[in-house]
Amino acid sequence: MIPGPVRTQAPFFPAVREDLRTHPSSRNRRADLLVCVFLCVATLVIYGRTGGFSYINFDDTLFLGDNPVVQQGLTWQGVRYAFTRSVEASNYYIPLVWLSHMAVVSLFGMSPGAAHMVNALLHAINAMLCFAAFFSLTGKRRESALIAALFAVHPMHVESVAWVTERKDLLAGLFFMLTLLAYSRYAKRPGFGPYVLVFSCFLLGLLSKPILVVIPCVMLLLDFWPLGRWKDPGSGLRLAIEKLPFLLPLAVSTILALHFQKSSGGLYSFEEYPFGGRVAAMATGYLWYLCKAAAPVNLSVNYPYPFDIPAWQTAGALCVLAAVTACAFVLRRRAPWLLVGWLWFAGVLFPVSGIFVIGTYAVADRYAYLSYPGLYLALVMTGSALAANSQIRRESLAALAAALLAALGISAWLQTGYWKNSATVWSRSVAVNKPSPTAFLNLGEGLLALGLLDQAETASLKALALDPLEMNALNNLGIIFARKGDLEMALTIFQAVVDNTKGFAVAENNLATTKKLIAEKEAAEHPSAAKGLPPGSGETGSSDPGR
């Protein structure tokens, strides 16, 4: 007789379930899940209200409002445009960004709220990937969670999330974190498949933003610590050779970025901006980012380029940077994360540090999006090491970290409010920066869009006072007078704009429209004149000039 199955005593099953609930791997999964939930909730609390925000008049119209290809949604024509002709509009080869905008339009139409919420969702995903990447690299859950939380709530990242145009930062961040996560796994278990995955994530990142050319350097830093693959000069050379395949797409992306910016007039030559001035802007810019990391106040959509940096400021900044670098190098054995975090910050920031002058600004909040994680790494790991070697209670450190995150989160929430529309974002810029014609020009346009004609006139006049050759501000002034009903003044202004510019199609159209409106107004006031008859000889009787 074949024996039947052995019956287990009833108390066994509850005991097994209890063992599973208390198993370390189960507890770890719950801890990871709680971290991800916290990151999502924190991100949505800060950025959830952007669902009611508008596009702003600073490249949002370029990517969305005035782009008929994007407005059609995701089509084959749009795909071809993204990979072949989109650079004509953006001056960067970022096809994945264009495709993302088209996909959002296909799903939700031209709703700015939907575009904003996609940005918020991407930032939440990036924060979770940040946690996963650092946890995979360091094996330290609490420290990785705090690094990711700082990334999620720091006010310097508001611009990258609340500005629809900066979708490129978010997509670049997505593939940046995926590359680090894939590289961590490749370093632990090398193989052709994992290497291809790392390389693929890197390529996708370059198609989102050229700033990811710095990834091979970041990977070499991570080889030193925490991966521990860089043990001697020989292993260092081997690791450098391992990164050689990354150099070709890196070089192509760099050359294309510089070429497109130069051809569009956005990249300035060394004759226009001498090398000494660039070094001064770069050195003081690095200190600016360090200060904003510690005290993120008076943030703005733009900061005018510093043309008159005193020599003592440049010398002082260079000394501070050299001292920090030297200290990190000296402590590289006792605290390797200091050197890795500092060089991560400095290296990722270098292409946009001011050494290459693109546009009229040397610093920008969005440039901190991928460079600040290096600072977070250095700060958090140093705090963890100090706590391990002191009598500080873990509860006290947790309370301090919670207070820091709360303060940063509240500041980020307040900063997000300034991105509600063009008027609010440029009002903030005017309030915290030196007078700038660009800021007043865009503020005038934002106020004009809201129908606040008097305020728009004041802002436009201030832009012209700062730069009398700012024809866009003069054109806006003509629109303001036209809307106020003073067509004669508007005509004079539009005529002046057309006379002083070439190929300004908007002003030419405004001039023609104003002439037509004046003619229609005169025809309405003098019907007989419209028929070619002298005033007063109408068919229905004479007119009284004195009436």
Side-chain angles (χ1 to χ4, degrees):
M1 180 177 180
I2 300 175
V6 178
R7 293 184 179 273
T8 309
Q9 295 180 353
F12 174 79
F13 292 102
V16 170
R17 288 197 297 270
E18 183 62 26
D19 288 342
L20 289 175
R21 283 196 295 267
T22 59
H23 192 275
S25 62
S26 179
R27 291 198 300 271
N28 292 342
R29 286 195 295 271
R30 287 200 298 270
D32 295 341
L33 179 60
L34 287 175
V35 170
C36 291
V37 169
F38 170 78
L39 294 173
C40 284
V41 171
T43 301
L44 294 179
V45 167
I46 294 171
Y47 298 105
R49 59 178 174 158
T50 61
F53 288 6
S54 304
Y55 296 127
I56 68 167
N57 58 346
F58 197 49
D59 287 354
D60 280 355
T61 52
L62 174 70
F63 278 86
L64 293 158
D66 295 335
N67 194 304
V69 179
V70 174
Q71 291 173 5
Q72 294 175 8
L74 191 58
T75 63
W76 284 115
Q77 177 189 0
V79 173
R80 289 195 300 270
Y81 173 84
F83 282 95
T84 59
R85 294 181 47 228
S86 60
V87 71
E88 300 171 4
S90 60
N91 298 327
Y92 284 113
Y93 189 66
I94 48 175
L96 294 189
V97 178
W98 288 99
L99 293 178
S100 76
H101 287 304
M102 296 173 192
V104 172
V105 171
S106 291
L107 292 172
F108 308 107
M110 290 297 295
S111 166
H116 279 295
M117 291 310 298
V118 168
N119 276 21
L121 179 61
L122 282 172
H123 184 56
I125 293 172
N126 288 348
M128 290 186 287
L129 287 174
C130 180
F131 166 66
F134 278 103
F135 186 28
S136 177
L137 288 164
T138 65
K140 296 182 179 294
R141 177 177 284 103
R142 292 188 182 91
E143 290 82 350
S144 300
L146 183 52
I147 291 170
L150 289 170
F151 177 78
V153 306
H154 202 286
M156 281 290 282
H157 303 321
V158 168
E159 179 175 279
S160 295
V161 185
W163 185 9
V164 174
T165 291
E166 281 310 299
R167 178 77 54 76
K168 53 182 175 285
D169 269 353
L170 301 169
L171 289 178
L174 175 72
F175 293 113
F176 183 84
M177 296 302 173
L178 285 174
T179 302
L180 297 187
L181 185 59
Y183 186 69
S184 174
R185 296 181 177 179
Y186 162 78
K188 297 169 185 175
R189 293 184 179 179
F192 180 74
Y195 188 90
V196 170
L197 180 61
V198 176
F199 191 77
S200 300
C201 292
F202 172 65
L203 287 181
L204 292 172
L206 288 180
L207 295 177
S208 302
K209 193 173 184 179
I211 191 65
L212 291 200
V213 295
V214 299
I215 280 185
C217 297
V218 174
M219 290 191 295
L220 283 173
L221 289 174
L222 296 175
D223 286 333
F224 172 68
W225 184 90
L227 295 175
R229 304 176 71 206
W230 196 338
K231 296 180 174 60
D232 52 57
S235 62
L237 178 60
R238 176 179 57 80
L239 293 171
I241 293 174
E242 181 184 67
K243 312 299 185 293
L244 286 179
F246 291 81
L247 295 183
L248 179 59
L250 183 155
V252 171
S253 180
T254 302
I255 293 171
L256 287 177
L258 294 175
H259 169 72
F260 290 133
Q261 285 293 330
K262 184 176 181 179
S263 62
S264 67
L267 181 66
Y268 292 92
S269 66
F270 281 92
E271 288 76 18
E272 295 171 294
Y273 290 94
F275 182 75
R278 295 169 186 247
V279 172
M282 178 182 68
T284 55
Y286 272 112
L287 283 190
W288 183 88
Y289 286 106
L290 289 175
C291 291
K292 294 299 182 183
V297 296
N298 293 335
L299 303 182
S300 167
V301 65
N302 80 320
Y303 307 93
Y305 194 90
F307 293 101
D308 53 351
I309 301 175
W312 67 268
Q313 286 188 11
T314 303
L318 289 173
C319 288
V320 170
L321 297 176
V324 173
T325 305
C327 288
F329 183 79
V330 169
L331 296 172
R332 69 189 184 280
R333 298 190 186 279
R334 295 178 56 190
W337 52 83
L338 286 177
L339 183 62
V340 171
W342 172 251
L343 292 182
W344 175 326
F345 162 71
V348 173
L349 199 56
F350 179 76
V352 289
S353 63
I355 201 69
F356 301 105
V357 182
I358 300 175
T360 57
Y361 43 82
V363 295
D365 296 358
R366 58 189 176 274
Y367 295 158
Y369 196 71
L370 297 180
S371 60
Y372 269 20
L375 294 182
Y376 304 150
L377 174 67
L379 173 67
V380 172
M381 295 305 300
T382 300
S384 177
L386 292 175
N389 297 317
S390 67
Q391 300 300 318
I392 302 175
R393 293 174 59 88
R394 181 178 295 177
E395 292 79 3
S396 300
L397 290 175
L400 180 62
L404 174 62
L405 292 176
L408 291 174
I410 292 171
S411 178
W413 187 86
L414 294 173
Q415 179 64 24
T416 301
Y418 295 119
W419 288 84
K420 183 177 182 180
N421 55 51
S422 300
T424 55
V425 75
W426 290 107
S427 293
R428 180 62 174 172
S429 177
V430 167
V432 301
N433 288 317
K434 294 180 179 179
S436 161
T438 299
F440 279 111
L441 166 66
N442 289 302
L443 174 59
E445 290 181 353
L447 293 168
L448 180 58
L450 294 176
L452 303 175
L453 300 183
D454 291 335
Q455 296 94 318
E457 180 181 350
T458 301
S460 299
L461 288 172
K462 288 182 178 179
L464 285 168
L466 293 168
D467 183 2
L469 299 179
E470 181 51 82
M471 293 294 104
N472 287 295
L474 190 59
N475 180 68
N476 291 340
L477 202 59
I479 296 173
I480 293 168
F481 277 104
R483 291 191 180 180
K484 286 184 174 183
D486 192 344
L487 295 178
E488 296 295 337
M489 178 59 74
L491 180 66
T492 302
I493 292 174
F494 291 138
Q495 188 65 60
V497 174
V498 171
D499 291 343
N500 287 277
T501 57
K502 291 182 179 180
F504 195 166
V506 174
E508 293 172 354
N509 181 66
N510 289 339
L511 177 62
T513 301
T514 304
K515 289 180 177 179
K516 181 180 178 181
L517 290 174
I518 291 175
E520 291 175 352
K521 182 179 179 182
E522 291 178 347
E525 292 176 351
H526 306 288
S528 57
K531 298 181 179 181
L533 301 175
S537 59
E539 298 178 15
T540 59
S542 62
S543 67
D544 183 355
R547 185 169 51 188

